[in-house]
Amino acid sequence: MERYSNVVAHIQSVLPPDTRPSLSRSVIPTIIHCIDGIAQALRTSHQVSLAGTANSFGDDQLNVDVLAERIIRDEIAKCPSIATASSEEEPTERPSRETESAAHSESSEVYTLAFDPLDGSSIIAPNWTVGTIVGIWDGASALHQTPSEKQIAAILGVYGPRTTAIIAIRVPGSTPTCFEVGLGGKDGEATCEIVRSKVELLSPPFKTRYFAPANLRAAAEDEKYMKLVTHYIQQKYTLRYSGGLVPDVVHMLVKGHGIYVSPVTTTSKAKLRRLYELTPIALIMECAGASAVDPVTGKGILEEPVGDCDERGGLICGTADEVSFVLRSFGLQ
Amino acid sequence: MERYSNVVAHIQSVLPPDTRPSLSRSVIPTIIHCIDGIAQALRTSHQVSLAGTANSFGDDQLNVDVLAERIIRDEIAKCPSIATASSEEEPTERPSRETESAAHSESSEVYTLAFDPLDGSSIIAPNWTVGTIVGIWDGASALHQTPSEKQIAAILGVYGPRTTAIIAIRVPGSTPTCFEVGLGGKDGEATCEIVRSKVELLSPPFKTRYFAPANLRAAAEDEKYMKLVTHYIQQKYTLRYSGGLVPDVVHMLVKGHGIYVSPVTTTSKAKLRRLYELTPIALIMECAGASAVDPVTGKGILEEPVGDCDERGGLICGTADEVSFVLRSFGLQ
């Protein structure tokens, strides 16, 4: 993986010396390589169609969902220190390869992957930006662990006009880091460029203030959410809401501020999967200096263990001040 | 332009026999070729930055705006029947090449191009889908003409996970048509596939109803717009609003329904350029069976001539019933 040598060097520069060689040299480069592969597959998938199957949650699967899942499964099988994996498409933790290789037993690093291979199914047909979400956990399972301690890295793949990825790492004993890479160079050259070595939210005030009100239909029957949305409009916030979790979060990370709200109300149940969506997104946000909290409890997304692969929740994330305002509006602070 | 032979054949099949050979064989393939070139340029432009220049409207220009403008100007200079061109970046109608070629004077077809090379500057940095907008007019100028008669084709380039284009043609004596192509095949092969030979809006009812409220900050000081937005929320419409005109319109075209509203209010002036944004979008929408009207007059966007290159307006477009509802809400019907 010569191509990713700059990324490897960057990761090693933020980790304590000589720690986690597999994470920097193998696990993260493998995921970036998958993102590049998925980008290429999407680029030529002009016929977006139903695969005729459904995942275990009963969602219809698109051909491109299946494609992305396959690319990741095939690549991580070659990565000795990834012991276990589960995904939104196959939501059961199982060994990432059929027979354990000698290499794995020799490695002192053992990781579990939890991923959503292609998030944003509803906006793939109109050719809007979609993404991949990956959480990397210490040990042989991501379940029943405290996410803030055990989820040590997360990656977002972003498939738009360019192919980019946001990488966050937070291992015990080192400073959290979040950076952005751009994949692909001129004439189809397989390059990987560090676009921004530090992705971080800025401090207010801001000339433009952005808001992304997810699950807006819930406001029809929830007075607090309706009042909050009305507040943003009256205060002349600028609306940016694609309906794709990855692009909506990346918008805040790149602009340096913003607020994303996906509430849970009495009539509108929690939609986002904690393992495949919420915990990786929350780690990325925290590493960039943002907050990510649960709209029901008001607690940090990463404080509570994930009990099973299908567990769901809502999300409030973005600039810390804005998140606090939402919590107060919801009577949680 | 062998690559576009299927597109040429498709266009010829909808035009009256042996008419407008340049339009089908040269003008439209040239624009598609530009869209492919812009897609490739964007894919490797990982450092999106200000070019240090401003266009004639005073907007800051991004390096990618300049790149896209250059690609289109260079290509159309090779197309004999495109006599005149103007764009959002260089908004003055002028000959599309410096010296008139013999080929041009021999051609009986004379066209004017009006284009926005890269629409959606504000969402390029976060890697959201952006687009190109092109209107093709009969004759040597697009100004002071009735758009519904003289603008005979329009093309949207869509730069997302894939590269796609929506092409609409409406020439006197033939049935209006709107279709979608996908650009680029496996292993970087330069293919052009007709993804949908007919792009058209569907008839209600719809399981999900989409709304895209542009210029939402205007609702803070405009009671009618606030009431309309509240109506959509109370009626549980699904929000999809990227803030990019091309992806927002293409969302409706691909889903087959929806409503986009960019109002003009006393405190919020008209933002969309009639020549480079509104008239091409309106032709695309009408050819797909949708409506596109002015939110101030309630008249069709294509009814009124464009007086100068900087003329601006608002837009209500989408499913005919939905457009009527907005007009009634605004007291225009």
Side-chain angles (χ1 to χ4, degrees):
Chain A
M1 300 237 180
E2 183 57 35
R3 173 182 177 190
Y4 306 112
S5 56
N6 52 346
V7 173
V8 174
H10 184 78
I11 298 170
Q12 287 177 338
S13 77
V14 300
L15 292 182
D18 304 319
T19 55
R20 301 181 180 261
S22 283
L23 180 69
S24 59
R25 284 189 217 141
S26 168
V27 179
I28 293 177
T30 293
I31 305 302
I32 298 176
H33 194 62
C34 291
I35 289 167
D36 193 48
I38 294 169
Q40 289 183 38
L42 288 179
R43 211 168 285 151
T44 58
S45 295
H46 291 298
Q47 301 288 355
V48 175
S49 57
L50 293 178
T53 52
N55 64 18
S56 310
F57 299 134
D59 302 331
D60 285 331
Q61 280 181 312
L62 299 174
N63 55 352
V64 286
D65 288 332
V66 176
L67 241 156
E69 170 82 13
R70 198 66 273 143
I71 287 169
I72 296 179
R73 293 280 179 180
D74 287 352
E75 286 297 323
I76 62 177
K78 299 175 203 161
C79 187
S81 56
I82 301 175
T84 317
S86 77
S87 76
E88 178 145 316
E89 300 299 319
E90 295 179 33
T92 311
E93 286 197 337
R94 60 177 172 83
S96 61
R97 67 197 67 77
E98 285 170 19
T99 50
E100 278 310 272
S101 65
H104 172 219
S105 57
E106 280 165 20
S107 172
S108 62
E109 292 169 71
V110 175
Y111 298 108
T112 292
L113 236 62
F115 62 96
D116 183 353
L118 201 58
D119 192 77
S121 296
S122 72
I123 50 175
I124 287 174
N127 201 12
W128 286 28
T129 297
V130 291
T132 292
I133 308 173
V134 181
I136 303 169
W137 299 67
D138 257 342
S141 172
L143 299 175
H144 314 295
Q145 314 287 330
T146 303
S148 57
E149 288 164 15
K150 294 295 185 178
Q151 188 188 221
I152 50 99
I155 302 178
L156 301 180
V158 190
Y159 313 110
R162 307 182 299 287
T163 304
T164 55
I166 307 263
I167 299 154
I169 304 170
R170 187 168 70 185
V171 303
S174 78
T175 311
T177 188
C178 187
F179 63 101
E180 185 186 21
V181 300
L183 298 171
K186 293 203 192 302
D187 305 317
E189 207 191 335
T191 58
C192 176
E193 181 186 342
I194 296 178
V195 177
R196 280 182 306 154
S197 56
K198 203 164 186 178
V199 170
E200 58 181 342
L201 265 63
L202 310 169
S203 298
F206 307 111
K207 197 177 147 198
T208 306
R209 291 171 300 175
Y210 298 102
F211 78 116
N215 194 10
L216 184 56
R217 290 152 25 115
E221 284 158 353
D222 187 272
E223 205 184 320
K224 283 176 184 159
Y225 193 32
M226 190 69 201
K227 211 175 145 190
L228 179 68
V229 170
T230 305
H231 163 82
Y232 292 133
I233 298 174
Q234 296 294 3
Q235 292 297 311
K236 298 195 172 181
Y237 278 58
T238 294
L239 175 68
R240 286 286 180 276
Y241 179 69
S242 76
L245 183 56
V246 173
D248 284 332
V249 163
V250 168
H251 188 271
M252 293 189 282
L253 293 170
V254 170
K255 296 287 183 182
H257 56 99
I259 179 74
Y260 176 97
V261 184
S262 181
V264 176
T265 66
T266 42
T267 53
S268 165
K269 59 184 181 177
K271 287 174 69 177
L272 301 168
R273 270 101 192 182
R274 293 203 67 220
L275 194 53
Y276 309 118
E277 297 174 307
L278 291 177
T279 52
I281 294 283
L283 182 62
I284 301 252
M285 294 307 283
E286 289 195 3
C287 288
S291 300
V293 305
D294 184 293
V296 174
T297 64
K299 281 188 184 173
I301 296 285
L302 299 178
E303 286 176 43
E304 294 290 323
V306 180
D308 71 71
C309 292
D310 192 24
E311 215 171 271
R312 305 186 192 204
L315 175 65
I316 306 166
C317 70
T319 303
D321 289 356
E322 297 282 4
V323 170
S324 290
F325 182 85
V326 179
L327 288 177
R328 286 196 302 277
S329 303
F330 287 178
L332 290 166
Q333 215 179 49
Chain B
M1 300 238 178
E2 183 56 35
R3 173 181 177 189
Y4 307 111
S5 55
N6 52 347
V7 173
V8 174
H10 184 77
I11 299 170
Q12 287 177 338
S13 75
V14 299
L15 292 181
D18 303 320
T19 55
R20 300 181 181 261
S22 282
L23 180 69
S24 59
R25 283 189 219 140
S26 169
V27 179
I28 293 177
T30 293
I31 305 301
I32 299 176
H33 194 62
C34 291
I35 289 167
D36 193 47
I38 294 169
Q40 289 182 39
L42 288 179
R43 212 168 284 153
T44 59
S45 296
H46 291 297
Q47 300 288 354
V48 176
S49 57
L50 292 178
T53 53
N55 63 18
S56 310
F57 298 135
D59 303 331
D60 284 330
Q61 279 180 312
L62 298 174
N63 54 352
V64 287
D65 289 331
V66 176
L67 239 156
E69 171 81 14
R70 199 65 274 143
I71 287 170
I72 296 179
R73 293 279 178 181
D74 287 352
E75 286 298 322
I76 62 178
K78 300 175 203 161
C79 186
S81 57
I82 300 175
T84 316
S86 76
S87 75
E88 178 145 317
E89 300 299 321
E90 296 180 32
T92 311
E93 286 197 335
R94 60 177 173 83
S96 61
R97 65 195 70 76
E98 284 169 20
T99 51
E100 278 310 273
S101 66
H104 172 218
S105 56
E106 280 166 20
S107 172
S108 62
E109 293 168 72
V110 175
Y111 298 108
T112 292
L113 235 61
F115 61 96
D116 183 355
L118 201 57
D119 192 77
S121 296
S122 73
I123 49 175
I124 287 174
N127 202 10
W128 285 28
T129 297
V130 291
T132 292
I133 307 174
V134 182
I136 303 169
W137 299 67
D138 257 342
S141 172
L143 299 175
H144 314 294
Q145 315 287 331
T146 303
S148 58
E149 289 164 15
K150 294 295 185 180
Q151 188 188 221
I152 51 96
I155 302 179
L156 302 180
V158 191
Y159 312 110
R162 306 182 299 286
T163 304
T164 55
I166 306 264
I167 300 154
I169 304 169
R170 187 168 71 184
V171 303
S174 77
T175 311
T177 185
C178 187
F179 63 102
E180 185 186 21
V181 300
L183 298 171
K186 293 202 192 303
D187 304 318
E189 208 191 336
T191 58
C192 177
E193 181 186 342
I194 296 178
V195 178
R196 280 182 307 155
S197 56
K198 203 164 186 178
V199 171
E200 60 180 342
L201 264 61
L202 309 169
S203 298
F206 307 110
K207 198 177 147 198
T208 305
R209 292 171 300 175
Y210 297 103
F211 79 116
N215 194 11
L216 183 57
R217 289 152 27 113
E221 285 157 352
D222 188 90
E223 205 184 323
K224 283 177 184 158
Y225 193 32
M226 189 70 200
K227 211 174 145 190
L228 179 68
V229 170
T230 306
H231 163 82
Y232 292 132
I233 297 174
Q234 297 294 0
Q235 293 298 310
K236 298 194 172 182
Y237 279 57
T238 294
L239 174 68
R240 285 286 179 276
Y241 178 68
S242 76
L245 183 57
V246 173
D248 284 332
V249 162
V250 169
H251 187 273
M252 293 188 283
L253 293 170
V254 170
K255 296 287 182 182
H257 56 101
I259 178 73
Y260 175 98
V261 184
S262 181
V264 176
T265 66
T266 42
T267 54
S268 165
K269 58 184 182 177
K271 287 174 69 177
L272 300 168
R273 270 102 192 179
R274 292 203 67 220
L275 195 53
Y276 309 117
E277 297 173 306
L278 291 178
T279 51
I281 294 282
L283 182 63
I284 300 251
M285 293 309 282
E286 289 194 5
C287 288
S291 298
V293 305
D294 184 295
V296 174
T297 64
K299 281 189 185 171
I301 296 284
L302 299 178
E303 286 176 44
E304 294 290 323
V306 180
D308 71 71
C309 292
D310 191 23
E311 216 171 87
R312 306 186 192 203
L315 176 66
I316 306 166
C317 70
T319 304
D321 289 355
E322 297 281 4
V323 170
S324 291
F325 182 85
V326 179
L327 288 176
R328 285 196 303 277
S329 303
F330 286 177
L332 290 165
Q333 217 179 49

